[in-house]
Amino acid sequence: MFTVIGERINTTLKKVKSATENRDEAYIKNDVITQEKSGATYIDVNAGARIGHEEEDMRWLLSVVQSATTLPLCLDSPDPAILEMAYSLVERPPMINSISLEKDRFEPMMQFLKGKNCRIIALCMDDSGMPKSVDDIFCRAKALVEELEKIGFKRNDIFIDPLIQPMSVDAANGTMVFKAVEKIMTELQGVHTTGGLSNISYGLPQRKVINRIFLAMLMAKGFDSAILDPLDSAIMAVLKTADMLQGEDAFCMNYLKAVRAGSIVA
Amino acid sequence: MSHIDTIQKTLITGDEETLLDQVREALDQGVAPQDILSQALIAGMDIVGERMESGEMFIPEVLMSAQAMGRAVEILKPLLGDEESASSGRIIIGTVKGDLHDIGKNLVVMMLESSGFEVTDLGVDVSPDDFLKAIEEVNPHIVGLSALLTTTIPMMRETVSKIIESGKRDTLKIMVGGAPVNQEFADEIGADAYAADAGAASKLAKSMLG
């Protein structure tokens, strides 16, 4: 099952930021309901853009979001204190976004994660910088899985983010991710892979075309989750079609349903 | 069309082989190397920078032109007198401590070098102390700070404060950039300028020192 993490409740987005500032419940509720209707299976909540207000914003967003949906949440913050507060307020086990091997992040996050009932997104990032090869990505992924398993995480609850980098600066950035995802899904059996797709198209025009084709190509390598905008009907159409093409859709049922609903059009 | 115009146009297309042929041809015909550098190449990259800012040209195209220019400069360098090859100014740049993002910064470095500046790239995760050390060593005209994470914005503020504390503030200009940065923030922390992309950065650098 492909896990769709709806990315829209993020205070870096202008409308969400101002709705949060103005405590506009209706705006947030409506957005969440629409994301769910469009196929989100997790709702990401990120309150980091209003510097100095993250705690109160997160608190408020969590109460509003949970009044609009029973979907599990993806708690998105680099601050373990915020995550601790947010974890105490969620009504069902959340996903945590994220941990990485960077020194300043790894220890505090491992402390936070001990004994928690949650899923975790693990970024293939360490202090030596952006990954430059398939091996870089895979070694970091392996290290993260080993560390998380040591504190009791099951592979089914680990979502590896291979760190998607733009094509515009290096023509090898796409194939690097394809090969890394394939290696991770083959050799670290049982884990999931995820990520925000839009980085791949940074610096190029017609980004949405690139993003959705990238998704299809990733899925062919086993990529089974993504942080994306479920209201982007074109990318959701690609997702359903790719799912069907991989034999994940019995009798092409979901595909046909989507076509009849008018959401998949040639 | 003059040699200068032809070379400038070719630089904008990013066609390296043709560019190098045209530069060699111009030199053979007696065009001064300094004129080729400033009127054709640097002026050409100015146009590339503007088109990048306006969205007419995209990152891979800018990279192609910059790469071609680099090769052309290799041909010209040995022919330039010391005075002629002097830079437009010294710039140090880095991504602030806690942040490992470098794509934007690298593009800025490339555009600034193509504009004739001497750039010292301190890399990523650069502490305020390392910035101060570099300021001491290089004595730059401009210090560039880059950050992509909202969580490293406070570090940008701290870095500027440390520069002010060191007493070096009046000896240089500070330029900031990165996705979470904007003009308002730049003003608030006491930076001299904010640039939204590499094209803007190079234009601003020129006007700051011009």
Side-chain angles (χ1 to χ4, degrees):
Chain A
M1 188 199 84
F2 196 93
T3 304
V4 175
I5 302 167
E7 65 180 16
R8 295 172 60 92
I9 305 299
N10 187 324
T11 51
T12 56
L13 299 174
K14 213 152 126 203
K15 289 195 180 148
V16 177
K17 188 176 192 180
S18 93
T20 306
E21 230 171 311
N22 302 325
R23 297 302 191 235
D24 183 352
E25 275 194 34
Y27 181 88
I28 303 291
K29 276 190 179 171
N30 183 54
D31 195 293
V32 170
I33 290 168
T34 326
Q35 285 194 71
E36 182 168 3
K37 273 212 185 93
S38 307
T41 50
Y42 277 79
I43 301 288
D44 189 281
V45 184
N46 183 325
R50 298 214 308 143
I51 301 170
H53 297 271
E54 193 178 0
E55 192 187 325
E56 49 177 274
D57 285 352
M58 182 62 105
R59 224 176 256 280
W60 181 77
L61 280 170
L62 289 176
S63 89
V64 177
V65 169
Q66 293 191 106
S67 72
T69 183
T70 54
L71 283 178
L73 306 185
C74 184
L75 305 176
D76 190 349
S77 175
D79 185 346
I82 298 283
L83 291 172
E84 202 71 66
M85 176 271 288
Y87 182 82
S88 72
L89 295 174
V90 294
E91 291 162 13
R92 53 200 55 79
M95 191 172 314
I96 304 294
N97 188 356
S98 54
I99 189 173
S100 78
L101 293 165
E102 292 158 283
K103 199 172 42 142
D104 289 340
R105 234 167 140 173
F106 182 71
E107 284 308 327
M109 282 305 295
M110 288 297 278
Q111 277 305 111
F112 164 77
L113 288 170
K114 281 201 182 104
K116 297 276 192 317
N117 179 14
C118 63
R119 307 177 97 177
I120 177 73
I121 297 177
L123 241 61
C124 295
M125 190 62 165
D126 68 24
D127 288 313
S128 67
M130 296 292 172
K132 299 261 177 287
S133 69
V134 177
D135 277 337
D136 274 351
I137 299 173
F138 183 76
C139 289
R140 296 166 188 200
K142 188 149 181 265
L144 284 161
V145 173
E146 277 167 12
E147 292 298 325
L148 289 166
E149 283 184 313
K150 273 190 208 156
I151 60 169
F153 273 82
K154 298 275 177 296
R155 288 188 178 190
N156 186 43
D157 289 333
I158 301 174
F159 287 69
I160 301 286
D161 182 334
L163 261 192
I164 292 163
Q165 299 174 70
M167 289 308 297
S168 61
V169 300
D170 192 335
N173 277 340
T175 45
M176 184 168 75
V177 178
F178 298 143
K179 291 188 177 151
V181 167
E182 192 169 36
K183 199 174 163 84
I184 290 167
M185 297 308 270
T186 314
E187 297 183 32
L188 297 171
Q189 285 267 350
V191 304
H192 301 280
T193 33
T194 194
L197 301 163
S198 57
N199 275 2
I200 196 72
S201 59
Y202 173 77
L204 289 171
Q206 305 302 339
R207 293 184 68 174
K208 285 189 169 179
V209 176
I210 302 171
N211 297 345
R212 59 184 180 248
I213 293 177
F214 187 54
L215 174 63
M217 293 172 79
L218 282 170
M219 285 172 74
K221 298 296 183 185
F223 199 69
D224 65 352
S225 167
I227 302 168
L228 50 72
D229 179 0
L231 270 65
D232 179 347
S233 51
I235 210 167
M236 293 305 282
V238 165
L239 199 157
K240 291 200 174 98
T241 308
D243 232 17
M244 181 273 289
L245 286 165
Q246 290 191 275
E248 297 286 326
D249 183 7
F251 296 95
C252 308
M253 220 167 47
N254 288 329
Y255 176 81
L256 292 171
K257 208 156 115 186
V259 170
R260 287 198 176 106
S263 46
I264 299 181
V265 184
Chain B
M1 207 176 13
S2 71
H3 286 283
I4 297 290
D5 286 337
T6 311
I7 292 172
Q8 195 186 92
K9 283 202 156 62
T10 304
L11 177 67
I12 296 169
T13 70
D15 180 350
E16 193 174 295
E17 286 317 308
T18 308
L19 182 75
L20 298 182
D21 283 343
Q22 289 172 349
V23 167
R24 288 186 198 105
E25 165 79 18
L27 288 169
D28 280 346
Q29 297 291 319
V31 183
Q34 177 56 29
D35 289 348
I36 298 177
L37 178 65
S38 59
Q39 290 169 30
L41 299 178
I42 292 179
M45 279 312 283
D46 280 348
I47 296 174
V48 170
E50 272 167 29
R51 292 191 187 178
M52 184 195 182
E53 250 188 302
S54 71
E56 216 182 305
M57 276 180 82
F58 301 99
I59 291 178
E61 294 167 317
V62 175
L63 288 175
M64 259 194 343
S65 293
Q67 196 172 281
M69 171 154 174
R71 297 281 314 277
V73 167
E74 271 167 38
I75 298 177
L76 297 174
K77 243 202 165 97
L79 306 172
L80 294 166
D82 279 335
E83 208 186 85
E84 290 170 327
S85 64
S87 72
S88 320
R90 289 180 303 280
I91 304 184
I92 69 170
I93 185 169
T95 299
V96 301
K97 182 152 183 59
D99 201 325
L100 299 171
H101 291 92
D102 64 358
I103 287 171
K105 171 189 69 66
N106 294 349
L107 287 167
V108 171
V109 169
M110 203 191 55
M111 282 304 297
L112 290 173
E113 281 178 339
S114 302
S115 301
F117 290 98
E118 194 185 307
V119 184
T120 307
D121 183 355
L122 301 176
V124 298
D125 198 20
V126 183
S127 69
D129 280 341
D130 284 338
F131 271 108
L132 288 177
K133 207 160 71 175
I135 291 172
E136 202 55 48
E137 282 168 13
V138 171
N139 193 18
H141 299 89
I142 301 177
V143 174
L145 306 177
S146 175
L148 203 80
L149 302 171
T150 46
T151 43
T152 43
I153 285 299
M155 181 52 69
M156 206 176 249
R157 182 181 273 125
E158 193 181 313
T159 309
V160 173
S161 303
K162 284 263 156 78
I163 295 175
I164 295 172
E165 262 172 49
S166 75
K168 295 278 186 182
R169 183 66 183 90
D170 295 331
T171 68
L172 45 80
K173 300 266 185 236
I174 299 180
M175 196 192 303
V176 295
V181 183
N182 53 32
Q183 188 62 61
E184 201 188 313
F185 179 73
D187 293 338
E188 196 197 301
I189 63 172
D192 291 293
Y194 158 72
D197 58 46
S202 127
K203 208 157 75 180
L204 261 173
K206 283 194 178 166
S207 72
M208 283 205 286
L209 300 186

